[in-house]
Amino acid sequence: MRFSRPFVPGGLMGLALLTACQSQPSATTFPAAGRDVAPIVSDAYSTEDVRDRVGEFDAVVAAAGVRQGMSVADIGAGEGYYTVRLSPLVGAKGRVLAQDIVPEVRDRLADRVQREKLDNVAVRLGEPSDPRLPPSSLDRIFLVHMYHEVTDPYAFLWHLAGGLKPDGEVIVVDADRPIKRHGITPEQLECELGAVGLKLQRFQRLQGGDSFVAAFRLATARPEPAALKPCAPKA
C-alpha cells in the first residue's frame, strides 16, 4: 500500500502502517449486497460556492459534533469538498484522513492538499470493500453521498467499523430515495449498518431537499464475517 502524501507525525501514522501489514478477511468472505448498487459519479456536480450556499456542511458537522483535536476520516472524498473544510475545524492537533478508491481522484486531492498547505491532512487510496483505516483511531468517519455506491457494503462496513475509537461515530449523509436514483432509505441504511454492530444514535433531515444525516456508533462487537446476517433485498 502506498500513500500519495505521508501522514504528519502522530499516532495515526504508525497505526496506518500496522494496518497495511495485517491480514484482513476478503470481500468474498462477506454476504453480497443483495440490492442495487449505484454507479460512482463525480462529486463535482456543482461549484463549491453553490454547495456552501446550501449550507449542508455546516449542518452536518454540527450534527456530528466535530471539535478541535479530533481525528476524522472523509471516505470517498472525491475532490475534497469536506476534507478541506474539516481540516481547520479539527485544527493543528487534529487529523483528517481523506480516502478515495479512484487513483486519479486521489492524486488530484493530494495535489490540492499540498497546494493549500493542509498539514493535518493525509490522503490515501482505499479499496471498494475496505477503506484501510488505522484501527481504533478515529473519532468520526464521514460517508457523504457515497454509501449507495459501495459495491460490497457488508465487507466495507465491517472494515470501516474497525477504524472507530470506542466512542467514535460513523456519520452518513445521503438522500432518502431509491438507490437507482443515488440514495438509500434510512430504514435500509439502519439495517445494513446494524448488521455489523453499528446502532443509530441520531438522525436529522437536512433543509432544502431529501438529504439526511445519520450518526451511528458501535453498540456490539463486530460479528465474524461468516456469521454476518444481511438485510432483506431492497430496490
Side-chain angles (χ1 to χ4, degrees):
M1 179 179 66
R2 68 185 182 90
F3 293 91
S4 60
R5 173 184 171 87
F7 276 103
V8 293
L12 278 179
M13 182 175 183
L15 288 172
L17 296 175
L18 175 62
T19 304
C21 299
Q22 290 177 333
S23 176
Q24 296 288 338
S26 69
T28 57
T29 310
F30 295 86
R35 57 162 171 79
D36 290 328
V37 174
I40 295 176
V41 296
S42 169
D43 72 343
Y45 60 85
S46 63
T47 68
E48 295 198 357
D49 286 344
V50 170
R51 294 185 75 175
D52 283 343
R53 287 197 293 273
V54 171
E56 178 190 280
F57 176 80
D58 290 339
V60 168
V61 295
V66 176
R67 302 184 302 276
Q68 291 275 311
M70 279 187 166
S71 294
V72 304
D74 182 14
I75 306 300
E79 303 296 326
Y81 178 80
Y82 268 67
T83 296
V84 301
R85 286 159 178 78
L86 285 167
S87 174
L89 284 184
V90 300
K93 294 184 178 179
R95 298 289 182 265
V96 180
L97 172 58
Q99 180 257 36
D100 207 278
I101 64 171
V102 181
E104 296 81 4
V105 173
R106 183 275 316 266
D107 291 344
R108 287 197 299 271
L109 178 54
D111 289 342
R112 180 179 185 179
V113 166
Q114 292 173 339
R115 186 171 63 251
E116 299 189 18
K117 297 183 170 128
L118 304 177
D119 292 334
N120 63 348
V121 176
V123 182
R124 68 188 294 188
L125 187 68
E127 299 176 359
S129 61
D130 183 357
R132 302 182 70 81
L133 300 176
S136 305
S137 62
L138 294 158
D139 298 291
R140 300 289 185 271
I141 301 174
F142 288 86
L143 309 178
V144 180
H145 296 298
M146 57 75 69
Y147 178 69
H148 52 267
E149 298 174 354
V150 175
T151 54
D152 299 296
Y154 297 109
F156 172 84
L157 290 170
W158 191 90
H159 290 293
L160 181 116
L164 287 171
K165 291 181 179 178
D167 59 349
E169 292 183 342
V170 177
I171 308 297
V172 183
V173 182
D174 222 305
D176 185 2
R177 56 177 179 251
I179 290 171
K180 289 181 179 179
R181 294 178 51 218
H182 287 274
I184 190 168
T185 66
E187 295 78 15
Q188 183 71 11
L189 181 71
E190 186 174 1
C191 181
E192 292 184 8
L193 272 71
V196 300
L198 290 160
K199 182 177 177 60
L200 182 66
Q201 303 296 308
R202 300 181 303 284
F203 179 89
Q204 177 182 327
R205 293 194 178 271
L206 300 172
Q207 292 184 347
D210 52 10
S211 293
F212 61 84
V213 55
F216 295 83
R217 186 173 292 189
L218 268 176
T220 62
R222 291 180 298 171
E224 290 297 319
L228 197 153
K229 297 181 180 179
C231 301
K234 297 287 184 181

